[in-house]
Amino acid sequence: MLDCIIIGAGPAGMAAAIYMARQKLDFIVVSKTVGGQTLLSWEVGNYLGFQMLPGDELVKEFKKHMADYKIKIQEGEEVKSVNKTKTGFKVKTDKAEYEARTLLVSTGSKHRKLGIPGEDEFYGKGVTYCAACDAPLFGDKDVAVVGGGNSAMESALFASKYSKNIYILNINPELTGDDDLIARVKKDEKIEIIPNAKTTEITGDKFVTGLKYKQDDEVKGLAIQGVFIEIGLIPVSEFIDIVKKDKWNQIIVDKDNATDVEGIWAAGDVSDVTEKQIAVAVGEGAKASLKIIKYIDKLQ
Ligand SMILES: Cc1cc2nc3c(=O)[nH]c(=O)nc-3n(C[C@H](O)[C@H](O)[C@H](O)COP(=O)(O)OP(=O)(O)OC[C@H]3O[C@@H](n4cnc5c(N)ncnc54)[C@H](O)[C@@H]3O)c2cc1C
């Protein structure tokens, strides 16, 4: 019986692990990847202490900190279910089963899919959800970015470094997000904004060759070789059904990151805390772990 299982090693889970290691809690960290979404950010400019660095470099710094405290992350392990027992919780992964008195859920969020024909078929063959990772692969090609918010605009600007023409297919009449990004996108001569465009199909043979969209009831086509899908994120909370969630499936927490089930805390993007940022996730993870440490202390 462990003191705690941290599920997810993004910024929230890793920050919590540092606090728990310092307080010598008996815990494990189980995670599919180490670093989470930070790995997808090509430029982090708003994390205190680091003026500007690629996300994967920031994750290297996080990992060094974890290594300093000899925290071992069970990487490549996916939690499939969580159940309550008499004395705590049973966590089943694709590889093993663990029991702990408390849990910290910090599984973050993942990309929302369009759910249109061709999306799955051409995933990795021109369809991507990560411009930061894949834009360099589309050098001198024409690409589409589906979306109309900050992520879509950032992706289009990043793609503009490499690709020939970039089309932003926005389902709404106007782009929404930071004024600065909107201004930069509008100024970029390689980027064309297509408003009121509902993407309906991605086409190709071995790789993507085009897409179809509906605008004012007319079906139109674009010849492109890459599609960046940037239509938002959904919390990764499907493996746990014993805690209360909101209508977006975010786990509802109080100001101390406690869920409605005693012994389970949640932090970072998977929770209903409004801002989804690395600094916020780190702070929430730290706060949750301090509460867990106090809770374990009281049990002893
Ligand atoms: C492209 C992009 C750029 C961004 N740029 C910035 C930026 O510049 N500045 C900024 O502050 N924020 C940025 N963000 C947001 C920021 O990355 C997130 O808010 C932050 O990573 C959330 O941290 P987290 O720990 O809650 O979750 P995540 O980072 O999502 O980490 C969750 C972890 O849980 C693991 N996991 C998920 N499900 C399971 C499971 N079932 N079992 C085990 N493990 C699981 C995942 O593998 C992952 O390691 C960006 C996000 C994206 C997508």
Side-chain angles (χ1 to χ4, degrees):
M1 175 69 83
L2 295 153
D3 288 334
C4 184
I5 299 170
I6 299 176
I7 308 173
M14 283 196 274
I18 297 288
Y19 278 80
M20 289 187 192
R22 286 169 63 87
Q23 294 296 323
K24 303 205 181 323
L25 242 64
D26 182 17
F27 72 99
I28 58 168
V29 187
V30 179
S31 193
K32 275 203 289 196
T33 65
V34 178
Q37 293 168 73
T38 307
L39 290 170
L40 308 179
S41 181
W42 57 284
E43 219 174 49
V44 179
N46 51 10
Y47 190 69
L48 188 66
F50 301 89
Q51 275 85 345
M52 185 70 84
L53 81 173
D56 59 344
E57 293 291 324
L58 184 57
V59 169
K60 275 187 197 153
E61 298 299 324
F62 291 163
K63 281 182 171 176
K64 273 192 227 161
H65 204 167
M66 304 284 285
D68 273 354
Y69 283 100
K70 301 193 170 36
I71 299 164
K72 209 180 147 286
I73 299 173
Q74 290 175 218
E75 192 177 356
E77 203 165 333
E78 181 174 358
V79 171
K80 295 288 190 188
S81 67
V82 170
N83 288 296
K84 205 167 164 30
T85 63
K86 269 189 190 151
T87 45
F89 304 95
K90 192 174 269 177
V91 171
K92 268 193 194 162
T93 74
D94 52 355
K95 298 196 172 113
E97 222 174 83
Y98 309 97
E99 260 190 275
R101 289 191 276 184
T102 64
L103 300 179
L104 174 60
V105 182
S106 49
T107 40
S109 47
K110 62 182 178 194
H111 290 282
R112 189 184 296 281
K113 291 172 93 175
L114 282 166
I116 58 169
E119 184 177 18
D120 287 342
E121 189 186 340
F122 294 110
Y123 176 64
K125 297 172 186 163
V127 172
T128 164
Y129 299 86
C130 180
C133 326
D134 299 333
L137 304 174
F138 298 92
D140 270 339
K141 300 212 158 64
D142 294 333
V143 298
V145 177
V146 182
N150 280 345
S151 303
M153 289 189 282
E154 276 180 14
S155 295
L157 289 167
F158 192 56
S160 169
K161 290 183 180 204
Y162 305 95
S163 299
K164 226 167 32 187
N165 296 298
I166 300 101
Y167 303 95
I168 297 183
L169 289 138
N170 183 11
I171 201 162
N172 296 312
E174 297 292 341
L175 295 170
T176 49
D178 297 350
D179 290 341
D180 162 56
L181 278 176
I182 296 176
R184 281 170 63 198
V185 161
K186 287 189 172 167
K187 219 173 117 193
D188 193 317
E189 287 178 355
K190 284 173 146 188
I191 301 176
E192 184 182 329
I193 303 158
I194 306 179
N196 302 312
K198 184 174 170 28
T199 308
T200 52
E201 188 180 350
I202 296 165
T203 54
D205 36 64
K206 269 190 184 157
F207 295 94
V208 168
T209 55
L211 64 69
K212 289 183 183 158
Y213 64 95
K214 224 173 174 183
Q215 193 183 39
D216 304 325
D217 285 333
E218 197 186 326
V219 177
K220 298 181 180 179
L222 272 179
I224 39 99
Q225 292 80 52
V227 186
F228 300 110
I229 299 171
E230 295 288 358
I231 53 165
L233 296 160
I234 41 176
V236 182
S237 63
E238 65 280 355
F239 61 90
I240 179 162
D241 54 18
I242 56 175
V243 290
K244 218 179 199 170
K245 300 174 197 173
D246 65 12
K247 63 177 173 179
W248 296 284
N249 279 328
Q250 301 180 120
I251 298 174
I252 298 172
V253 292
D254 67 13
K255 65 180 184 349
D256 293 332
N257 297 85
T259 68
D260 63 318
V261 176
E262 188 182 332
I264 304 183
W265 281 258
D269 280 17
V270 74
S271 76
D272 67 339
V273 168
T274 50
E275 300 303 335
K276 312 298 186 194
Q277 288 284 288
I278 299 165
V280 176
V282 164
E284 296 289 312
K287 178 151 58 86
S289 67
L290 286 167
K291 295 296 169 191
I292 293 170
I293 290 161
K294 281 186 184 149
Y295 181 84
I296 293 288
D297 268 358
K298 268 195 202 154
L299 291 182
Q300 275 151 4

